[in-house]
Amino acid sequence: MDMGLNNKTALVTGSTKGIGKAIAIELAREGVNVLINGRNSEDVERTVNEIKSDFPYTFPRNATADIVDTQQREALFKEYPTIDILVNSMGIYEVMDYEDVDDEIWEKYFRTNVLAANGLSKFYLPKMLKNNDGRIIFIASEEAIMPSGQMPQYCMTKSMLLSLSKSLSKLTIGTEVTVNTILPGPTLSENVQQIIDGIYPNEDMTFSEKEKEFMTTNLPQSEIQRFINPSEIGRLTAFVCSPYASSFKGSPIRMDGGMIPTIF
């Protein structure tokens, strides 16, 4: 299916690995010129070259910046003052006990997972509204509406993104600009794969066997009983960015593998 995104420009934050990279790849597959973002310029340039090699008809570019840093964000704005699509996928997470989350950690998560995305959205949204065209997407998590209790500092920030997305969507009334949030369930990022391999060091087990054992033991509520592939989230994101998804407004779009047990 042609998503109608050819020659659009998209900034995808945290796009050198994991979900962010998968989103950048799937957008490039649709002819989007992706701005690859990360803090390490070598990682960014490597990803740019990889995408250029795989999708030579597109023009990926280096958008190295620590977007948590306001000065680096400003430099990014000067280099790329206008875009068609903003995908806020950069974020941090880790399992933590509530009593270990001090004020410094709360603030770190708020600045990283919320304020950075808000800063980018605040800059690009008015330009999209002026052009009457654009897409902003926040990547949240099923933890945003179904906290496990294992990552309170992370869950808080992902819930905030749902509220922020809805608030910004109200500013797009009557326009072709949309703001939405995608909520992935447990996803097979590079980090997750390393964790699973560490839990099951038995070399005779295939990764599929390790994955099945982990799901059965730790995530029995998952209806797919496997991790979501980042490319699946990438394809969904590409669709939400497309003209065919123009009626999604302020929507929390779930791709949770059936983890969330409620109807809404």
Side-chain angles (χ1 to χ4, degrees):
M1 178 178 177
D2 182 353
M3 297 286 188
L5 291 170
N6 196 46
N7 285 326
K8 295 287 187 180
T9 298
L11 171 59
V12 184
T13 66
S15 46
T16 61
K17 59 183 179 179
I19 292 174
K21 183 176 181 179
I23 291 171
I25 289 172
E26 295 304 326
L27 287 174
R29 194 184 305 279
E30 294 299 324
V32 175
N33 303 316
V34 289
L35 307 181
I36 302 301
N37 167 256
R39 292 179 297 177
N40 185 295
S41 59
E42 292 182 1
D43 291 342
V44 171
E45 194 61 29
R46 186 182 305 112
T47 306
V48 168
N49 292 334
E50 179 183 333
I51 290 178
K52 183 62 179 176
S53 176
D54 292 342
F55 309 102
Y57 46 86
T58 69
F59 300 95
R61 285 173 284 175
N62 187 315
T64 300
D66 179 357
I67 59 171
V68 180
D69 185 292
T70 55
Q71 291 184 335
Q72 292 193 41
R73 279 208 306 268
E74 289 296 329
L76 184 67
F77 296 155
K78 289 180 180 179
E79 188 171 4
Y80 301 110
T82 58
I83 58 175
D84 302 297
I85 298 164
L86 170 63
V87 182
N88 291 300
S89 59
M90 188 277 293
I92 57 174
Y93 69 94
E94 63 181 311
V95 173
M96 294 189 72
D97 292 329
Y98 175 68
E99 57 267 24
D100 295 330
V101 185
D102 59 25
D103 285 354
E104 185 177 347
I105 293 173
W106 284 113
E107 290 179 8
K108 176 183 177 181
Y109 270 77
F110 179 54
R111 290 185 179 280
T112 304
N113 291 357
V114 180
L115 288 187
N118 179 67
L120 293 171
S121 303
K122 190 173 184 178
F123 179 81
Y124 287 115
L125 178 59
K127 297 172 181 294
M128 293 179 181
L129 293 174
K130 184 177 180 180
N131 294 330
N132 194 33
D133 184 58
R135 298 285 185 267
I136 295 178
I137 296 176
F138 297 92
I139 303 300
S141 165
E142 94 281 356
E143 292 265 1
I145 58 176
M146 191 184 72
S148 65
Q150 297 179 328
M151 298 183 285
Q153 79 292 356
Y154 171 77
C155 297
M156 177 199 73
T157 60
K158 293 302 180 178
S159 297
M160 285 180 172
L161 292 181
L162 293 178
S163 178
L164 177 60
S165 173
K166 192 66 175 179
S167 293
L168 297 186
S169 183
K170 295 296 184 182
L171 304 178
T172 72
I173 292 174
T175 75
E176 292 303 313
V177 179
T178 68
V179 184
N180 294 290
T181 310
I182 293 175
L183 289 74
T187 304
L188 190 59
S189 64
E190 296 91 337
N191 186 44
V192 168
Q193 183 158 355
Q194 290 176 0
I195 291 172
I196 299 302
D197 283 332
I199 294 173
Y200 305 103
N202 185 352
E203 295 182 0
D204 293 332
M205 291 181 69
T206 66
F207 184 80
S208 294
E209 291 171 335
K210 296 176 183 180
E211 181 180 43
K212 184 177 181 180
E213 177 66 24
F214 180 86
M215 282 288 173
T216 301
T217 305
N218 297 280
L219 298 173
Q221 67 271 42
S222 168
E223 294 180 13
I224 59 174
Q225 281 298 289
R226 63 171 176 83
F227 287 102
I228 298 166
N229 193 301
S231 65
E232 296 178 276
I233 301 167
R235 293 305 289 167
L236 174 60
T237 304
F239 171 73
V240 177
C241 289
S242 78
Y244 303 109
S246 59
S247 294
F248 285 92
K249 288 270 195 174
S251 300
I253 303 166
R254 286 161 40 174
M255 183 181 259
D256 62 354
M259 287 283 293
I260 300 170
T262 56
I263 296 173
F264 295 108

